Amino acid sequence: MFDPTSWNAPFAVVVVALFAIVMARANATYWLGRGLAAGAARTRWQRLLTSPHYASGARWLNRWGAPAVSLSFLTVGIQTMVNLAAGVTRMPLRRYLPAVTVGCIIWAFMYGTVGFIGWYAVVRLWERSPALTVAVLAAGAAVVVWVVTRRDRAEAVPAAE
């Protein structure tokens, strides 16, 4: 199981291993973006570059630049698209590598310490009351759907000039 809290290793080893994993994944995504930029218009990958998720990542990158790469590691779901957008836009490595390194360090410490507490909370709640667990997860999903739908509607309405 990929749960660093169950690894029989010192904390420093867990953090370094998590850092290596996320650094490899983030850089692979960046280089995938570089490759997509070169020839996506002629492949099925073109759909990815026109998706709302990619547009969101690109907006982050356009607004904040390199710090968006670092800050994206504090989110769930947007970090991949920000790294992809950094590759597609050919962000210079002298900017990308420091930003992704900071983000990966943040992510490694976050998941090496408190990142799996939420999972343990769900497991403990399930042990006490499966029905309550389902209700809490359904309520959480409903909130996420409501926020995303509200955001999408707000983006679809043209701003008054």
Side-chain angles (χ1 to χ4, degrees), residues 40-90:
R42 297 179 301 272
T43 69
R44 62 187 166 99
W45 290 96
Q46 176 60 28
R47 285 187 314 200
L48 179 63
L49 298 180
T50 58
S51 72
H53 296 296
Y54 175 78
S56 181
R59 269 193 310 277
W60 265 53
L61 193 61
N62 289 336
R63 181 168 186 186
W64 302 104
V69 174
S70 299
L71 295 175
S72 72
F73 286 88
L74 296 173
T75 68
V76 175
I78 192 131
Q79 63 184 278
T80 300
M81 291 303 152
V82 169
N83 284 293
L84 186 69
V88 169
T89 61
R90 296 186 170 279

Side-chain angles (χ1 to χ4, degrees), residues 11-159:
F11 177 70
V13 172
V14 170
V15 170
V16 168
L18 289 170
F19 172 81
I21 291 165
V22 74
M23 189 70 160
R25 184 181 67 81
N27 278 279
T29 305
Y30 172 86
W31 287 103
L32 175 66
R34 297 274 302 235
L36 286 174
R42 297 179 301 272
T43 69
R44 62 187 166 99
W45 290 96
Q46 176 60 28
R47 285 187 314 200
L48 179 63
L49 298 180
T50 58
S51 72
H53 296 296
Y54 175 78
S56 181
R59 269 193 310 277
W60 265 53
L61 193 61
N62 289 336
R63 181 168 186 186
W64 302 104
V69 174
S70 299
L71 295 175
S72 72
F73 286 88
L74 296 173
T75 68
V76 175
I78 192 131
Q79 63 184 278
T80 300
M81 291 303 152
V82 169
N83 284 293
L84 186 69
V88 169
T89 61
R90 296 186 170 279
M91 177 183 278
L93 287 175
R94 69 179 184 278
R95 290 192 184 111
Y96 178 75
L97 288 176
V100 77
T101 300
V102 168
C104 289
I105 289 169
I106 291 168
W107 187 91
F109 275 101
M110 204 167 58
Y111 278 89
T113 55
V114 298
F116 288 91
I117 288 175
W119 174 250
Y120 285 125
V122 170
V123 169
R124 294 292 297 213
L125 184 58
W126 181 266
E127 290 170 353
R128 293 178 185 255
S129 173
L132 182 58
T133 305
V134 170
V136 167
L137 292 175
V143 168
V144 169
V145 168
W146 178 76
V147 168
V148 169
T149 304
R150 187 169 171 234
R151 182 194 67 200
D152 290 348
R153 284 185 187 150
E155 289 175 359
V157 174

